[in-house]
Amino acid sequence: MALEICVKAAVGAPNVLGDCPFSQRALLTLEEKKISYNMHLINISDKPQWFLEISPEGKVPVVKFDDKWVADSDVIVGILEEKYPQPCLKTPPQFASVGPNIFGTFVTFLKSKDDNDGSEQALLNELKALDEHLKAHGPFIAGEKISAVDLALGPKLYHLEVALGHFKKWTVPESLTNVRNYMKSIFSRESFVKTRAAKEYVIAGWAPKVNA
């Protein structure tokens, strides 16, 4: 039986998959595990009443397991791993917290109006640490096989690439070859291509935050 999942619709295009990295993480997990699902696109700026009844905080993604709607991508991915153990996407504990600050430092840099506030350097430091890790353990965070930590980080790196490229004309430095190869290999996976938001919707999603 197909699982039901609610994810973000694109800004200004309610019938198109939107730019939520947490929604994409859940979809990627479903795709990688070959679990069939029905996707419901939720217009975040005009949430339907039925959706607010199953997700009172109005958050996406939410997935229905055994008649119960569950929110939070961390929890969803954990349940999927438990219920559908094959293929195993569990990240070995020692690698589970690689790159946790990349998204936060990216957002700070993206919204920064001051070139000298250190936000670019903070992001570079995080990406350099990831590069060193991949150099030692790659091609994926836990070695040869893709795992849950990659499916969480990949969508965030996609947002980083698209949003910083558009708003700051910024790209991951050439010197960080391991990170660049890592992004290429994740972004080209069939599961990723199928579940990513189009670039223009990623840009539309970030525009209000950047221009605030």
Side-chain angles (χ1 to χ4, degrees):
M1 213 173 81
L3 286 178
E4 305 290 324
I5 180 168
C6 297
V7 294
K8 183 183 176 184
V11 175
N15 301 321
V16 179
L17 180 61
D19 64 310
C20 169
F22 306 99
S23 292
Q24 190 185 7
R25 177 191 181 190
L27 292 171
L28 273 172
T29 307
L30 291 167
E31 287 288 338
E32 290 284 341
K33 286 186 172 288
K34 306 274 188 278
I35 301 165
S36 62
Y37 60 92
N38 297 318
M39 184 168 70
H40 307 279
L41 296 171
I42 304 300
N43 181 351
I44 295 298
S45 54
D46 183 19
K47 300 180 184 98
Q49 189 51 42
W50 67 264
F51 173 68
L52 290 170
E53 282 163 20
I54 61 171
S55 178
E57 291 181 358
K59 285 187 173 163
V60 288
V62 287
V63 175
K64 192 178 192 180
F65 294 109
D66 309 323
D67 292 331
K68 185 171 174 266
W69 287 93
V70 176
D72 188 314
S73 63
D74 281 339
V75 178
I76 289 166
V77 166
I79 295 172
L80 288 173
E81 192 58 53
E82 215 169 276
K83 285 182 172 289
Y84 306 90
Q86 296 304 324
C88 175
L89 292 173
K90 239 188 182 120
T91 306
Q94 70 271 32
F95 299 134
S97 61
V98 172
N101 303 321
I102 288 175
F103 195 63
T105 51
F106 144 64
V107 174
T108 306
F109 175 44
L110 180 66
K111 290 157 79 170
S112 161
K113 307 274 192 281
D114 174 6
D115 290 345
N116 302 312
D117 64 1
S119 59
E120 179 180 4
Q121 192 53 52
L123 174 60
L124 281 169
N125 292 344
E126 291 297 328
L127 291 172
K128 277 178 191 153
L130 175 61
D131 199 79
E132 290 296 315
H133 176 88
L134 292 167
K135 188 176 174 183
H137 302 283
F140 295 110
I141 284 174
E144 291 299 320
K145 227 167 103 269
I146 200 161
S147 69
V149 68
D150 302 298
L151 302 184
L153 188 56
K156 295 171 178 175
L157 289 170
Y158 176 64
H159 276 243
L160 178 153
E161 179 179 83
V162 174
L164 289 177
H166 177 80
F167 293 106
K168 298 251 185 200
K169 304 290 175 270
W170 191 94
T171 53
V172 174
E174 296 280 342
S175 57
L176 301 181
T177 47
N178 300 289
V179 171
R180 290 174 72 104
N181 291 338
Y182 175 71
M183 288 164 73
K184 255 193 215 110
S185 84
I186 289 188
F187 298 171
S188 63
R189 285 178 86 82
E190 192 186 334
S191 60
F192 199 94
V193 173
K194 191 172 171 184
T195 58
R196 68 172 183 214
K199 288 182 177 175
E200 63 264 32
Y201 297 122
V202 174
I203 292 162
W206 284 107
K209 299 178 182 79
V210 175
N211 301 325

